[in-house]
Amino acid sequence: MILSSWIPLLGYITVFSPIIFLLVVGFQLLIGRPMSEFALGRWLKSAIILSLFATLAILAIMLVTGSRREIVDMGNMVAIDRVHFHFHISLIFDRLSVPMAILSLVLCGTVGAFALSYLHRDAGFQRFFLSFAMFLVGMVMASLAGTIETLFLGWELVGLSSALLVAYYQERPTPVANGLRVWAIYRLADAAFLAAAVALHHQHSEGNFSVLMGNEAWPAGKASLSEGTALLVGTFLLIAAAGKSGLVPFSGWLPRAMEGPTPSSAIFYGALSVHLGVFLLLRVSPILDQSALLSSMVIILGLVSAILAAIAGRVQTDVKSALAFASLTQVSIIVVEIGFGLRYLALIHIIGHACMRSLQLLRAPTLMRDYKTMENAIGKSLDHGSPWIIGWLSRSTQLRLYRCAIERGYLDSMLDACIVRPFIRLFSMFNRWERAWTQWLSGSHKVIPIAVEDASHE
Amino acid sequence: MNELHLPWLELAILVPTIAAIWVGRIHESSRARTASLAVAAITLFLTTACWIDFESLVTFEAHDHWDLVRAIIGRNELVIDKLNAPLLPLTTLLFFLTMLATPRVKFGKYSFSLGLLSLSSTLAVLSCRETWLLITFLAVNAIPMYVDLRSRGKSTRIFAFHIGLSLVCFIAGAVIYQYSDSEFWQGVAIVFLVTAVLIRSGCAPLHCWITDLFEHAAFGNALLFVTPLVGAYVAMRLILPIAPDWALHWIAFLSLFTALYASCMALVQTDSRRFFCYLFLSHSSLVLVGLETASPIGLTGALCVWFSVALSLTGLGLTLRCVEARTGPLSLAQYHGLYSHMPQLAGFFLLTGLSAVGFPCTIGFTGTELLVEAGIGISPLVGAVVVVSTAMNGIAILHAYFRIFTGTSHPSTIVLKTLKSERIAILTFTLLLIGAGLWPQPGVHSRFDAAVELLNHRGIAKIEIQADADPE
């Protein structure tokens, strides 16, 4: 009983340590007086260690007391009592959130320490750690979110920091274009998430998971939604998860995201950010149980993504892209596991995969050098082998598969051809019409080089 | 009606009016700027004092002590109430910060005298609720903008045509409504009034005057002409209390269309000012969407979005203006790579932009959430359009950010860093945007009270709140 009374304080420490770190980093940049690398490193380490120890302490208390779920109520951000509108902030500590928060803090701590040396004296050092702090806050908030609004808050912070870090090397146009692409997909996912969140909020006038997913501790909850509503909300959430985790048809952003510095690739696209979509599916898994059709959609999406990622990963010529598709394969398998209702397995799979992939990505640059040394030593290329199934396929099938793999399933080209280009053409046309209309109204006859304008968008 | 302790409202309108004449006679631009800043600061004090005085009275509305307008026309038509009490200091703050952040190179192009005149007429509009006086103030409010366009040698036809048309519609609507008894003619009057508001708010397809304004007028003047959302204010004052449901549906439909259309148009713009203009149109339309919900939550959301639009988009506009002052007009067709020269402006651009699209922990988040919630209550399609348009705007913001601040290295032999006056403006905006995002309850509470009173004028709030509170 006495031990449990410590949980709210520890919960606050868990969340506010990263928030204070973010505020400190943001404020010093805003006033134009950046602190030294050493000082920033101290702030980072203190924030993560404090937060991690607080979470571990909560875990220890829960193990000692046998509690399976603890809720830390942080009050209403907005409350309009007269119309029963509440925007509630609460943290939930259960078998899903505690491992995820610990995983986030351990990996952020490790990769943060690695990045302090990796980006030493880099021009974007402060900028990197501002985005990193934003990511850390986002992951901790999302992991421990007790309401769907809190989860959305963390989700958005993770999305923004991801896009900014993909465009980290901002003097070149390619990383920037890739950053924008990642952001565009994330915004789509955010829109789907927001729609689902508001729909859930609308049903119950609040977004508490303990109300929405039943009173039992995860994973035993039961959603208080009808099958139709569950299907609608679940579909939105599935789109959100697919966008965030790079599932089909949004897989194209994942290899593009590898443009960022190695530490961010490791933490974002190998370990944590890419798993946020599947974490969302795990958190709302009681909704999936409400609809067999929804569960089937989850399984099919996972299977298709896994197959595509496995094929595309075989033909990548740079190590980070190969690792990106390897990540995607595992994430897709986790989605299949969730669809089948194997939640503990999915959670363990997330933790194991995130740790292994972070290590691989951090090791990747030096591994390439070691390979080169080995190949020089033996005087020939290392044998990578090929899967047994290749031998069974005809030459033309192999070629078709190769083309499909090298084009990453034609997903990006398909999105460009079906959505992006028609969209730009249509609205560029409206833009021309509007300009012509205003010129006519103003009595001006100046010719505007529209062709140049349109070409820039292509 | 309750009386304020001093004539704050009239002083707030008169001080900048008289000062505008004085400042207009100062030929040295830096002295004119100092004088204008002092006047704007005094006006900010007056409007803030007015707000505090009003809150201390604990009433729905109040008017000035020694009311000059009442002495002239016999009625209390300049009022402060729950709706406009915070809008007056907010508007004055926007003018003050815009004048403060005006860089020296813009002194020749930005008329401080016209700025003060614009401030006084905007405050007059925002403190007025009587139809004819409101229409008069709206006409006066357009004069500084017209003079600005004329003085630059630009065509005034589009601006004059649209503003003139909206005034004609206002007058026609007011006359017909006042002198007709039949339901048909009252409906006709409503159509005129709705059309006038839609033109003044820049609803598509009657929005071209705003793009023209941003392209040809001084950026600062254009910004301050549109960001106080005078059109939305007139809609709340004149239309909401009397309009039948079908009129509100039409306003909402056109506003939703504008929100979506402008958000898509923002994505294909290659000119930074046109980009800003469409972004503004997309967000400002959302305020009118809240009208259709005619529910406390929807209207509260709309009024919160109003604050968010005014603060965030003025901040964003000022950032663009500061960047343009250093580089000249910006094309979004190419990368400019200005981050290394002006990291603070880059960060502020992102902050204001994301705040406008309702990013969590910023001022826009709660308003957007409330609006979507109320929208879904009416129809899932309304909620979906709001969500999609904010998503598109988010993409447009980052697209513009990347184009202006990244993608290449910008060679420059002169220092382009942020000036002290710009830093003060940035810090003030940042504190307001994040402060109101992290602690939204006071703002939302104030807007909810305003929304309830507006709906009381319409005669539905009490019923609806009662129904919400007691489903049985």
Side-chain angles (χ1 to χ4, degrees):
Chain A
M1 189 63 192
I2 296 165
L3 277 176
S4 298
S5 62
W6 283 92
I7 286 180
L9 175 66
L10 292 167
Y12 275 93
I13 293 173
T14 305
V15 170
F16 277 99
S17 301
I19 290 176
I20 290 168
F21 175 58
L22 172 62
L23 291 177
V24 168
V25 177
F27 185 72
Q28 46 117 24
L29 286 177
L30 187 72
I31 59 169
R33 297 197 175 166
M35 63 174 96
S36 69
E37 288 186 9
F38 178 75
L40 196 143
R42 291 286 286 270
W43 273 100
L44 170 71
K45 287 169 191 167
S46 309
I48 291 182
I49 287 170
L50 207 56
S51 185
L52 180 61
F53 275 104
T55 319
L56 288 172
I58 290 173
L59 175 64
I61 291 170
M62 288 173 74
L63 288 173
V64 169
T65 57
S67 168
R68 286 190 56 179
R69 186 173 67 172
E70 292 289 343
I71 293 172
V72 176
D73 191 346
M74 300 177 86
N76 288 316
M77 197 169 174
V78 177
I80 311 176
D81 292 328
R82 289 166 70 189
V83 285
H84 306 294
F85 181 88
H86 297 103
F87 193 103
H88 200 68
I89 302 280
S90 75
L91 305 177
I92 192 163
F93 292 88
D94 60 12
R95 292 185 178 193
L96 175 62
S97 65
V98 172
M100 197 66 188
I102 292 173
L103 176 75
S104 302
L105 288 163
V106 167
L107 289 179
C108 282
T110 312
V111 175
F114 179 86
L116 283 171
S117 317
Y118 188 86
L119 295 172
H120 175 54
R121 293 197 173 180
D122 191 280
F125 184 88
Q126 299 282 344
R127 188 160 44 88
F128 175 87
F129 279 99
L130 177 64
S131 298
F132 190 82
M134 211 187 293
F135 175 75
L136 178 63
V137 173
M139 275 311 297
V140 171
M141 292 293 280
S143 304
L144 297 174
T147 64
I148 197 150
E149 292 92 351
T150 320
L151 181 50
F152 182 68
L153 197 150
W155 178 275
E156 287 269 63
L157 286 174
V158 169
L160 178 64
S161 53
S162 299
L164 291 178
L165 279 176
V166 171
Y168 177 78
Y169 295 113
Q170 57 185 19
E171 289 78 21
R172 290 186 288 120
T174 315
V176 170
N178 287 339
L180 185 63
R181 196 166 189 108
V182 172
W183 177 248
I185 300 289
Y186 276 3
R187 285 307 288 175
L188 183 72
D190 294 346
F193 192 152
L194 185 60
V198 174
L200 281 174
H201 201 278
H202 191 71
Q203 289 271 319
H204 295 274
S205 291
E206 60 179 318
N208 270 343
F209 285 126
S210 50
V211 175
L212 299 172
M213 306 298 152
N215 264 325
E216 294 85 3
W218 186 87
K222 189 173 185 311
S224 50
L225 297 170
S226 66
E227 192 178 337
T229 313
L231 181 61
L232 178 76
V233 171
T235 307
F236 277 131
L237 291 171
L238 189 56
I239 295 170
K244 206 67 156 186
S245 289
L247 305 176
V248 168
F250 308 116
S251 313
W253 70 258
L254 196 55
R256 288 170 187 274
M258 295 296 165
E259 282 280 0
T262 297
S264 74
S265 303
I267 194 79
F268 283 64
Y269 315 110
L272 297 176
S273 181
V274 80
H275 287 117
L276 201 53
V278 287
F279 172 78
L280 173 69
L281 290 181
L282 276 178
R283 176 53 80 200
V284 299
S285 51
I287 292 181
L288 306 184
D289 292 342
Q290 294 291 96
S291 165
L293 179 60
L294 188 60
S295 297
S296 311
M297 281 158 59
V298 172
I299 293 167
I300 292 167
L301 188 69
L303 277 175
V304 173
S305 303
I307 292 167
L308 179 81
I311 294 170
R314 307 290 312 172
V315 301
Q316 298 307 310
T317 50
D318 70 289
V319 65
K320 282 172 88 176
S321 295
L323 286 173
F325 279 108
S327 270
L328 184 55
T329 312
Q330 293 305 314
V331 169
S332 307
I333 293 170
I334 294 169
V335 170
V336 176
E337 290 162 4
I338 294 170
F340 279 118
L342 306 167
R343 281 150 207 177
Y344 282 121
L345 179 64
L347 180 60
I348 293 164
H349 198 159
I350 288 175
I351 295 168
H353 176 239
C355 293
M356 185 202 70
R357 203 63 72 193
S358 290
L359 178 65
Q360 282 184 330
L361 276 160
L362 293 179
R363 173 81 173 93
T366 49
L367 183 76
M368 298 311 293
R369 203 179 54 207
D370 292 351
Y371 263 38
K372 213 170 188 176
T373 311
M374 275 194 283
E375 285 177 345
N376 285 342
I378 62 175
K380 62 174 186 177
S381 294
L382 290 166
D383 182 19
H384 298 293
S386 60
W388 53 269
I389 199 166
I390 294 293
W392 290 10
L393 300 174
S394 68
R395 181 73 184 151
S396 61
T397 312
Q398 283 184 27
L399 274 174
R400 267 199 292 276
L401 269 179
Y402 177 76
R403 263 191 231 117
C404 177
I406 206 84
E407 290 290 336
R408 294 162 182 176
Y410 302 102
L411 290 176
D412 273 2
S413 355
M414 205 166 64
L415 287 177
D416 285 350
C418 298
I419 299 173
V420 180
R421 283 197 206 106
F423 175 90
I424 289 172
R425 259 188 236 120
L426 180 71
F427 284 95
S428 296
M429 186 180 73
F430 289 151
N431 200 31
R432 283 197 297 276
W433 287 356
E434 277 200 17
R435 278 186 179 279
W437 168 243
T438 48
Q439 278 168 33
W440 180 79
L441 269 184
S442 65
S444 149
H445 300 290
K446 197 174 71 177
V447 177
I448 291 170
I450 290 161
V452 175
E453 188 176 294
D454 290 350
S456 68
H457 282 294
E458 297 292 329
Chain B
M1 194 192 294
N2 288 294
E3 272 193 359
L4 299 170
H5 292 96
L6 283 170
W8 300 113
L9 278 175
E10 284 168 350
L11 281 175
I13 296 165
L14 278 176
V15 167
T17 311
I18 296 165
I21 301 165
W22 167 53
V23 170
R25 298 169 73 89
I26 301 175
H27 296 296
E28 197 190 328
S29 52
S30 57
R31 274 189 61 215
R33 177 189 180 252
T34 312
S36 305
L37 270 178
V39 173
I42 292 168
T43 315
L44 182 59
F45 166 75
L46 291 170
T47 47
T48 311
C50 184
W51 183 19
I52 293 168
D53 194 357
F54 168 72
E55 289 296 334
S56 72
L57 294 175
V58 196
T59 179
F60 171 61
E61 60 185 28
H63 70 99
D64 271 346
H65 197 51
W66 307 309
D67 197 333
L68 190 66
V69 174
R70 186 175 54 176
I72 297 168
I73 67 169
R75 293 189 303 272
N76 299 319
E77 298 307 354
L78 290 187
V79 292
I80 181 165
D81 60 10
K82 298 266 184 196
L83 175 66
N84 67 4
L87 285 177
L88 297 171
L90 172 75
T91 305
T92 319
L93 181 70
L94 299 183
F95 275 82
F96 175 75
L97 292 177
T98 305
M99 288 174 184
L100 181 69
T102 301
R104 193 173 290 274
V105 291
K106 293 269 182 188
F107 282 5
K109 293 179 180 174
Y110 178 80
S111 166
F112 289 100
S113 165
L114 285 180
L116 287 176
L117 204 59
S118 185
L119 169 61
S120 97
S121 57
T122 310
L123 289 179
V125 171
L126 293 178
S127 52
C128 180
R129 63 171 185 186
E130 198 274 330
T131 310
W132 290 107
L133 204 56
L134 195 52
I135 294 171
T136 312
F137 285 144
L138 279 174
V140 173
N141 185 234
I143 293 172
M145 212 60 255
Y146 182 82
V147 174
D148 180 65
L149 284 169
R150 291 281 294 183
S151 65
R152 294 166 154 261
K154 305 288 182 188
S155 167
T156 54
R157 280 165 62 171
I158 298 177
F159 180 76
F161 172 72
H162 283 88
I163 295 298
L165 185 64
S166 84
L167 286 172
V168 167
C169 288
F170 270 129
I171 293 166
V175 168
I176 297 170
Y177 194 82
Q178 197 168 341
Y179 296 106
S180 71
D181 294 328
S182 74
E183 203 173 303
F184 171 76
W185 284 108
Q186 294 218 334
V188 172
I190 297 287
V191 169
F192 274 115
L193 289 174
V194 167
T195 310
V197 163
L198 291 178
I199 297 173
R200 191 63 179 76
S201 308
C203 267
L206 299 165
H207 63 285
C208 292
W209 68 272
I210 297 192
T211 53
D212 180 71
L213 195 66
F214 273 94
E215 280 185 297
H216 297 129
F219 200 172
N221 282 336
L223 195 62
L224 293 173
F225 186 68
V226 296
T227 50
L229 299 187
V230 167
Y233 179 81
V234 179
M236 302 285 174
R237 284 285 188 229
L238 296 188
I239 294 184
L240 187 63
I242 57 167
D245 286 346
W246 59 262
L248 296 185
H249 290 325
W250 270 104
I251 292 180
F253 173 75
L254 285 170
S255 305
L256 272 177
F257 172 73
T258 308
L260 190 61
Y261 175 76
S263 66
C264 296
M265 287 294 278
L267 270 170
V268 299
Q269 296 308 312
T270 53
D271 176 89
S272 59
R273 288 197 185 189
R274 279 178 75 87
F275 152 77
F276 175 81
C277 179
Y278 283 109
L279 201 67
F280 168 78
L281 285 173
S282 177
H283 284 102
S284 59
S285 309
L286 293 179
V287 177
L288 291 180
V289 173
L291 277 183
E292 197 223 8
T293 64
S295 68
I297 287 189
L299 209 51
T300 306
L303 296 179
C304 290
V305 170
W306 186 334
F307 263 70
S308 142
V309 168
L311 271 174
S312 315
L313 290 179
T314 307
L316 185 72
L318 283 184
T319 316
L320 268 179
R321 185 168 171 249
C322 292
V323 176
E324 278 192 0
R326 289 160 169 78
T327 61
L330 285 165
S331 161
L332 299 182
Q334 67 207 54
Y335 291 107
H336 296 278
L338 291 166
Y339 183 92
S340 56
H341 296 285
M342 43 188 96
Q344 282 173 316
L345 283 178
F348 189 59
F349 182 95
L350 207 52
L351 174 68
T352 48
L354 292 174
S355 173
V357 299
F359 197 78
C361 299
T362 63
I363 191 170
F365 181 57
T366 315
T368 312
E369 177 95 2
L370 285 166
L371 205 56
V372 176
E373 170 100 13
I376 284 183
I378 298 169
S379 150
L381 192 64
V382 175
V385 172
V386 177
V387 168
V388 170
S389 63
T390 54
M392 302 295 258
N393 285 329
I395 298 171
I397 288 286
L398 215 67
H399 174 247
Y401 169 81
F402 282 146
R403 290 282 166 159
I404 297 170
F405 295 104
T406 67
T408 184
S409 299
H410 183 84
S412 175
T413 51
I414 53 166
V415 180
L416 299 173
K417 68 177 185 181
T418 322
L419 303 173
K420 193 179 172 187
S421 57
E422 292 169 339
R423 273 206 298 275
I424 294 170
I426 286 175
L427 275 172
T428 312
F429 271 114
T430 305
L431 285 176
L432 288 170
L433 294 175
I434 295 183
L438 292 175
W439 193 36
Q441 180 64 24
V444 172
H445 189 259
S446 144
R447 297 302 79 200
F448 177 74
D449 286 346
V452 169
E453 288 302 331
L454 281 171
L455 291 172
N456 278 341
H457 279 294
R458 198 172 157 73
I460 59 169
K462 282 173 186 161
I463 303 162
E464 204 156 291
I465 292 172
Q466 188 66 35
D468 280 346
D470 183 14
E472 297 300 312

